[in-house]
Amino acid sequence: MQVWPGQAYPLGATYDGAGTNFAVFSEAAHRIELCLLHDDGSETAVELRETDAFVRHAYLPGVMPGQRYGFRVHGPYEPERGIRCNSAKLLLDPYARAVSGRIKWGEAVYGYPFGKPDARNDLDSAPHTMSSVVVNPYFDWGDDRRPRTDYHRTVIYEAHVKGLTMLHPGLPKELRGTYAGLAHPEIIAHLTELGVTAIELMPVHQFVQDHRLADAGLANYWGYNTIGFFAPHNAYASWGDRGEQVLEFKQAVRALHQAGIEVILDVVYNHTAEGNHLGPTLSFRGLDNASYYRLTDDQRYYMDTTGTGNSLLMRSPHVLQMIMDSLRYWVTEMHVDGFRFDLAATLARQFHEVDRLSSFFDLVQQDPVVSQVKLIAEPWDVGEGGYQVGNFPPLWTEWNGKYRDTVRDLWRGEPRTLAEFAGRLTGSSDLYQDDGRRPLASINFTTCHDGFTLHDLVSYNDKHNEANGEGNRDGESHNRSWNCGAEGETDRAEVLELRERQMRNFIATLMLSQGVPMLSHGDEFGRTQRGNNNAYCQDNELSWVHWPEPAAAVGEDGEDEDAGPDGEARGMSLLEFTRAMVWLRRDHPVFRRRRFFHGRPVEGTHDELSDIAWFTPEGREMTQRDWQAAHAKALTVFLNGHAISEPGPRGERISDDSFLLMFNASAETLEFAVPVNHGRQWHAVVDTARPAGVLPGAGPKVAAGDRVTLVGRSMVVLQRPA
């Protein structure tokens, strides 16, 4: 075999049409062997003799796409010094563009013998571990164009590749649970009809099934256990794992783009699947443990701000380079449109405290590629000082956990909620205005993958995670949920009616709030996980989306005539309501403003009314005493469509209809007076107390001073044409 010197950059395996360049970083290694793996179980070892700045490299003519490979690192095994080299372990390339196979758990994939964590284990891991794959980078993107949807027009749909597609009756069985299934016309039609502009995919970077879960007969369903930051997860490919997963993922992105849908990836750059000091040796640990991970003063152990056993070392230039290279790769080569960063506070931890000006954020800020896509932070981790909602730099948007908590509290009837609810409804200026950000920095959600589904939020007071095998100790215990009078599934008509109304309340509130709304997959038709609020290990029908039957009928009154097993809504009424609310938002810029409200008339207009006003149910403007009243659970909000301060794309003035949003989060029926000086004639367009929720055509007419009856825990939306 010919071996040429090759190049130190780019890292990983780079195929150029005639051969492949291999490059890998390790400061700890004495020498590194590149092992080409053959289908008969044998391997050909090639020592990487050329070294530049601790990057070892070689070019091998004739090595083609589909070739499996790994590295063996020769060097010291001294856990007390944080060094864990072991040539018996076949290591994945941190820059592998594809990964083949899966782990067969056993002692061989660990760097130590079981029961002796400081000793060295010389069992060969090659027959038991995954392998890296050389891929062909060439792909016909055709006329693919990024949708580049502005944040104020964005509606995000959080979804799981497998969970969304596994039970869809319109998909061929061979495509269910795959990237190809995600790109199927049935799925794309659902998303476009719903009004979704961006799909946020739960982790698709190559991840590992945990040893503990495998032994328990469970699986890492969510995928927050990354081992390959450049490789699409191979189990989601419908037709192979020797690079086919890369082609299939690109095809899915291209199809979604053609439908005008952006692709955002949920990425996990805060830790890896190698766990703590008792975890397996799969890649980073065996290459250069101390360069990749945050170690404690006793370097046998790992600092953990993620709850997973380890945290990547964010002050290491090699870690930062790998993350930025990975982000750029997914944007430039895979054409994705943005990222949601899991436990993003960990990325800011250069030393111990969360540092807003850490190196990672500096790099993102100046990067000409990464800085131009959507950047969404999950602004917390499990370390000290890790809750950082509102504290990320100006380029970033954030999952607004305070929005979720406040909206849940309002609709379950918690006292002293109105004032904070008003702030969350109008874009959370207390969190984002002081650093130059806008309402669109707030990614609003009431449910997501982590926690109750929307159906379960209104059906359970307590989590029911017994299926996870941890004695119901896992998962959040304080969910701000309310079961509406019965725990779990019930046939009590009054409870079911209240639950359906509450789900409509949550959907309507989300879509009429300033900021960027995010739906969790299946919530649009009320999927359930039977009270499991931590279904991370449930790769089965408990967490897969059960789709409404195509033949499900909806009666004239909007009631579902076809309900699924265990009370899961199988009909279409909630789905139709969700679609209508999404499109109401998209049609009216007053619900998706790009600037915060001023609370006064807008200069340059003839409208003397404020851009926003707040009223008690009696129709008088709210006072400080009204906001602070513990019992207050109802209010009216006036949104002035004539007082939108931001201009249109060509500098034109934007004008819209005006709206009154009436919220009754109390248990009692209340009379709401229509304010007398904010419009003479209105018509109702939304009433969540009605089974259909959205009123057909121009709803009942309402005049200034009239009274509108709102049953307990409902909301009404009145519209006045511009």
Side-chain angles (χ1 to χ4, degrees):
M1 176 178 293
Q2 288 185 307
V3 180
W4 298 351
Q7 303 293 326
Y9 188 86
L11 291 165
T14 306
Y15 173 68
D16 64 4
T20 303
N21 189 83
F22 295 89
V24 62
F25 160 79
S26 175
E27 190 171 348
H30 292 162
R31 64 188 182 92
I32 296 179
E33 290 177 308
L34 164 68
C35 298
L36 303 180
L37 308 176
H38 310 300
D39 290 343
D40 63 2
S42 64
E43 61 185 60
T44 300
V46 177
E47 184 173 350
L48 302 180
R49 298 182 180 276
E50 299 294 326
T51 304
D52 292 297
F54 301 110
V55 174
R56 290 170 168 80
H57 52 89
Y59 179 91
L60 274 60
V63 170
M64 308 299 282
Q67 174 65 58
R68 295 183 302 121
Y69 70 98
F71 297 114
R72 294 189 185 273
V73 174
H74 300 261
Y77 185 82
E78 300 174 3
E80 69 279 3
R81 294 178 52 216
I83 305 174
R84 295 177 178 268
C85 301
N86 185 340
S87 60
K89 309 306 164 188
L90 184 75
L91 304 177
L92 287 171
D93 181 355
Y95 278 69
R97 270 52 173 182
V99 172
S100 177
R102 58 188 60 190
I103 295 173
K104 300 173 186 175
W105 287 110
E107 193 173 66
V109 297
Y110 291 81
Y112 62 92
F114 288 168
K116 299 178 180 179
D118 290 332
R120 174 179 162 130
N121 173 6
D122 288 324
L123 292 174
D124 184 7
S125 70
H128 308 276
T129 192
M130 302 180 290
S131 56
S132 306
V133 180
V134 177
V135 304
N136 189 338
Y138 305 108
F139 179 76
D140 182 8
W141 283 102
D143 59 355
D144 181 64
R145 295 290 184 272
R146 302 182 191 281
R148 297 191 183 278
T149 307
D150 293 331
Y151 270 119
H152 69 283
R153 297 183 179 276
T154 294
V155 176
I156 298 175
Y157 187 82
E158 186 197 29
H160 187 285
V161 170
K162 187 173 185 179
L164 182 65
T165 61
M166 197 65 187
L167 298 178
H168 196 292
L171 267 60
K173 288 186 177 180
E174 65 271 16
L175 298 186
R176 297 180 185 181
T178 70
Y179 302 121
L182 185 68
H184 191 276
E186 290 274 354
I187 298 294
I188 290 179
H190 174 75
L191 297 176
T192 54
E193 290 168 10
L194 187 57
V196 167
T197 69
I199 186 167
E200 182 177 301
L201 297 177
M202 291 175 65
V204 297
H205 287 175
Q206 183 68 48
F207 61 87
V208 169
Q209 295 295 339
D210 311 54
H211 193 170
R212 176 185 67 83
L213 293 177
D215 285 350
L218 300 169
N220 191 316
Y221 169 65
W222 284 353
Y224 293 95
N225 204 31
T226 304
I227 197 63
F229 295 106
F230 294 77
H233 187 59
N234 57 22
Y236 297 156
S238 64
W239 58 295
D241 71 353
R242 299 285 185 92
E244 294 89 349
Q245 61 265 53
V246 179
L247 294 176
E248 192 169 324
F249 181 87
K250 290 179 177 179
Q251 289 164 349
V253 172
R254 185 175 61 190
L256 288 161
H257 281 180
Q258 287 172 350
I261 298 172
E262 294 184 305
V263 179
I264 299 171
L265 302 188
D266 191 340
V267 290
V268 190
Y269 292 111
N270 51 71
H271 73 281
T272 80
E274 291 187 304
N276 63 15
H277 64 290
L278 299 178
T281 298
L282 306 175
S283 179
F284 310 93
R285 171 174 285 140
L287 280 165
D288 195 329
N289 187 57
S291 288
Y292 281 109
Y293 294 116
R294 297 185 71 198
L295 305 179
T296 64
D297 291 339
D298 184 343
Q299 294 185 310
R300 291 175 298 175
Y301 304 112
Y302 297 80
M303 196 170 289
D304 179 17
T305 59
T306 64
T308 62
N310 66 58
S311 303
L312 283 171
L313 182 62
M314 296 307 298
R315 67 174 181 267
S316 165
H318 304 288
V319 170
L320 292 171
Q321 178 188 357
M322 180 186 69
I323 293 174
M324 296 307 298
D325 285 348
S326 170
L327 293 169
R328 279 190 296 269
Y329 174 78
W330 286 94
V331 174
T332 59
E333 296 297 323
M334 308 295 261
H335 285 209
V336 305
D337 304 282
F339 305 95
R340 178 265 187 189
F341 292 80
D342 177 65
L343 300 181
T346 292
L347 302 176
R349 291 181 183 272
Q350 278 189 290
F351 300 98
H352 174 71
E353 70 286 350
V354 174
D355 178 4
R356 208 178 108 157
L357 300 177
S358 72
S359 298
F360 172 70
F361 296 122
D362 293 342
L363 290 172
V364 169
Q365 179 77 30
Q366 59 79 43
D367 191 277
V369 173
V370 180
S371 65
Q372 299 306 303
V373 301
K374 287 183 167 67
L375 301 171
I376 305 170
E378 182 187 32
W380 48 77
D381 65 18
V382 300
E384 182 182 347
Y387 191 76
Q388 294 291 317
V389 175
N391 289 331
F392 277 71
L395 269 185
W396 292 69
T397 62
E398 300 175 11
W399 270 26
N400 191 344
K402 292 187 177 181
Y403 177 94
R404 171 200 59 202
D405 296 346
T406 303
V407 171
R408 289 185 178 192
D409 280 348
L410 177 85
W411 285 115
R412 71 188 180 117
E414 285 296 291
R416 302 188 187 279
T417 306
L418 272 188
E420 184 165 3
F421 172 72
R424 303 297 160 236
L425 182 74
T426 54
S428 296
S429 60
D430 60 322
L431 299 177
Y432 306 116
Q433 192 170 32
D434 61 348
D435 57 11
R437 288 189 284 177
R438 300 287 177 85
L440 302 167
S442 179
I443 305 297
N444 298 330
F445 66 105
T446 52
T447 58
C448 63
H449 71 274
D450 189 1
F452 283 140
T453 65
L454 181 61
H455 171 279
D456 293 358
L457 182 67
V458 301
S459 304
Y460 295 89
N461 284 348
D462 303 304
K463 63 185 179 181
H464 296 269
N465 298 352
E466 291 80 7
N468 297 353
E470 300 180 42
N472 205 35
R473 295 183 299 274
D474 63 303
E476 177 61 57
S477 296
H478 183 47
N479 292 282
R480 293 179 161 89
S481 62
W482 179 48
N483 64 20
C484 297
E487 186 71 1
E489 303 306 328
T490 181
D491 56 4
R492 291 169 54 188
E494 71 278 8
V495 173
L496 294 174
E497 190 278 330
L498 178 55
R499 288 178 179 177
E500 291 167 2
R501 192 190 323 153
Q502 286 284 73
M503 286 192 284
R504 291 191 290 270
N505 288 334
F506 281 117
I507 293 292
T509 304
L510 178 65
M511 290 304 156
L512 302 181
S513 296
Q514 305 299 323
V516 180
M518 183 184 78
L519 287 165
S520 181
H521 66 185
D523 276 353
E524 66 270 31
F525 38 75
R527 79 177 185 97
T528 180
Q529 292 178 168
R530 298 184 178 88
N532 192 319
N533 75 349
N534 191 35
Y536 76 101
C537 57
Q538 299 296 327
D539 189 1
N540 51 52
E541 293 197 16
L542 179 70
S543 50
W544 299 340
V545 172
H546 291 256
W547 290 79
E549 297 291 341
V554 180
E556 293 182 0
D557 60 356
E559 293 284 6
D560 294 332
E561 294 182 352
D562 180 16
D566 300 322
E568 180 178 346
R570 304 288 289 180
M572 302 295 287
S573 61
L574 182 60
L575 175 58
E576 292 301 325
F577 176 75
T578 306
R579 285 173 177 163
M581 293 309 304
V582 173
W583 285 98
L584 180 65
R585 175 188 181 84
R586 293 188 69 175
D587 288 343
H588 292 285
V590 75
F591 297 125
R592 42 184 178 81
R593 292 187 49 160
R594 288 172 285 133
R595 296 177 182 171
F596 288 108
F597 290 99
H598 301 287
R600 61 180 184 273
V602 174
E603 295 181 6
T605 70
H606 299 294
D607 196 325
E608 296 180 357
L609 296 175
S610 173
D611 58 355
I612 189 169
W614 308 88
F615 301 92
T616 67
E618 292 77 25
R620 58 178 175 80
E621 292 207 36
M622 295 278 286
T623 65
Q624 192 66 28
R625 178 177 295 181
D626 294 323
W627 287 116
Q628 294 175 347
H631 63 277
K633 299 176 183 177
L635 81 163
T636 295
V637 187
F638 168 69
L639 301 179
N640 190 349
H642 290 287
I644 298 174
S645 59
E646 58 266 31
R650 297 185 179 181
E652 72 276 16
R653 179 171 173 262
I654 298 175
S655 185
D656 191 14
D657 296 348
S658 296
F659 289 85
L660 287 172
L661 313 182
M662 296 176 169
F663 297 90
N664 180 14
S666 70
E668 296 79 28
T669 297
L670 296 177
E671 296 287 321
F672 280 64
V674 178
V676 294
N677 297 320
H678 287 71
R680 297 174 60 185
Q681 292 291 331
W682 302 81
H683 65 271
V685 291
V686 176
D687 183 353
T688 62
R690 301 192 180 206
V694 177
L695 303 175
K701 299 293 190 296
V702 180
D706 286 356
R707 292 188 172 270
V708 179
T709 301
L710 271 71
V711 302
R713 294 192 172 87
S714 71
M715 64 178 291
V716 165
V717 179
L718 304 181
Q719 181 177 0
R720 175 169 61 86

